Amino acid sequence: METQAILHHLAHAEGLPVDAILAARVQRDLIAPMLVDLVERHLAGDADALELHGALFFAFHLLGEWREKSAYRPLARLLAGPAEQLERAIGDAITQTSHRVMAAVFDGDPRPLYEAMEAEHADEFARSRMLEALAMVTLDGGLDRGAVATYLRDGFMTLKPHAPSFVWHGWQSAIALLGLGDLRSLVKRAFERGLIGPEVMDYEDFQRDLRHALAHPEAPWLSGAANEFTLFGDTIEELSWWYAFSPEHLERKAGRTDASGLAEPAINPFRDVGRNDPCPCGSGRKFKRCCLQ
């Protein structure tokens, strides 16, 4: 498959474009720079790039799979951009995989991550995940732990808005993952001020996560959540589990009808899941702290 055909298939796929992804891997040396360029042109508002807008989701994940360091800065700018633009570009990857992709393409300079985290008007869930990406690269030895601890301490005053926002979930999560017990009093104040609402989690959840991280610094995430904090891996293997690429979803999206010729009613796949049950996506978090949001 020629490179332009690969981009076309990635942009206009119905379902997971396995053949195009496999072809992209074969021609990785040619395709990777094209995908980075696509992101750059998208950010610049290039008209031709807009026609390939649908490829951005798969570009995002392939660049993460390939550990493509040249993608780090443009992807960080994408994540720091307008929330609506980001949603159209990568959809559910914002909450599901963005931190794992960014940790995979990290080039050693935290500034692009900081800029994404500090972009007050960017998507609050993306900002939250970038704080967790910061913790991931620090745990991997990519950043000085003391410097990151200072950044997170100062973040209590500098992160905006100083009002309820999901960015504060990522802030406390990074503190817990890094086992920064000295910052627990700041986290408690954040809960007391309502920056992290009870519908997301409570202070006892943070304390549990922190205790676990302090007891298991080599694997500071709770049992069942390990995959949530590993670098993004095989694009086909990882995305094939997404409901958006399931035959059921694709049939419904295509307007499948029943024997009477009437469109079948939509069914909520999470209808039997309680707020405090483990999330069915496999993240290891409570449903209320994951896909319910």
Side-chain angles (χ1 to χ4, degrees):
M1 192 182 297
E2 295 184 358
T3 55
Q4 289 300 324
I6 291 173
L7 289 179
H8 176 82
H9 283 288
L10 293 177
H12 303 288
E14 287 293 336
L16 189 62
V18 173
D19 290 343
I21 291 172
L22 292 174
R25 287 176 180 166
V26 172
Q27 302 184 65
R28 172 179 167 178
D29 290 345
L30 293 174
I31 290 293
M34 295 176 69
L35 296 182
V36 174
D37 180 64
L38 177 63
V39 177
E40 294 275 20
R41 290 189 292 121
H42 170 80
L43 291 168
D46 180 83
D48 291 336
L50 293 177
E51 293 184 7
L52 296 172
H53 182 271
L56 287 170
F57 174 85
F58 298 109
F60 185 78
H61 290 101
L62 281 169
L63 292 167
E65 174 187 329
W66 296 339
R67 312 293 189 257
E68 185 59 52
K69 306 302 184 187
S70 66
Y72 173 57
R73 294 165 192 273
L75 291 182
R77 294 203 307 276
L78 177 69
L79 288 160
E84 298 81 4
Q85 182 184 54
L86 181 63
E87 173 67 27
R88 290 195 302 272
I90 65 172
D92 287 346
I94 295 170
T95 55
Q96 298 299 316
T97 55
S98 63
H99 59 310
R100 298 175 59 212
V101 167
M102 292 304 291
V105 301
F106 180 68
D107 71 0
D109 180 2
R111 177 44 50 188
L113 277 182
Y114 290 161
E115 291 173 352
M117 289 183 268
E118 295 165 6
E120 183 177 357
H121 300 294
D123 185 279
E124 61 185 298
F125 299 99
R127 295 176 66 200
S128 176
R129 281 307 204 183
M130 291 309 96
L131 280 152
E132 292 177 319
L134 180 70
M136 288 175 65
V137 299
T138 303
L139 287 167
D140 197 43
L143 290 173
D144 178 75
R145 192 184 192 89
V148 172
T150 298
Y151 178 84
L152 292 170
R153 182 200 66 202
D154 294 346
F156 180 72
M157 296 302 299
T158 59
L159 274 179
K160 306 296 182 183
H162 216 265
S165 169
F166 204 75
V167 69
W168 293 104
H169 176 274
W171 176 76
Q172 67 78 32
S173 179
I175 290 171
L177 284 169
L178 292 171
L180 301 177
D182 291 346
L183 301 186
R184 59 161 59 89
S185 62
L186 286 181
V187 175
K188 185 176 183 180
R189 287 166 64 187
F191 277 98
E192 291 171 345
R193 295 185 183 186
L195 303 181
I196 308 166
E199 73 281 1
V200 176
M201 62 182 297
D202 50 40
Y203 182 61
E204 287 68 29
D205 292 323
F206 165 77
Q207 290 181 300
R208 176 205 59 193
D209 294 344
L210 178 63
R211 284 195 301 269
H212 183 87
L214 289 170
H216 305 89
E218 74 292 345
W221 40 80
L222 292 175
S223 176
N227 289 341
E228 186 178 359
F229 296 108
T230 57
L231 301 184
F232 186 77
D234 184 297
T235 299
I236 296 173
E237 180 180 343
E238 296 226 19
L239 298 184
S240 64
W241 294 97
W242 285 35
Y243 178 71
F245 299 119
S246 68
E248 177 187 6
H249 174 75
L250 294 173
E251 289 172 359
R252 289 169 189 245
K253 185 177 178 182
R256 186 180 64 176
T257 58
D258 62 17
S260 68
L262 300 175
E264 292 188 16
I267 298 174
N268 177 6
F270 300 137
R271 63 189 183 280
D272 297 321
V273 183
R275 287 175 56 82
N276 291 306
D277 291 341
C279 188
C281 78
S283 68
R285 295 185 176 191
K286 292 180 182 179
F287 184 45
K288 70 180 181 182
R289 296 175 57 191
C290 194
C291 292
L292 180 60
Q293 300 159 17

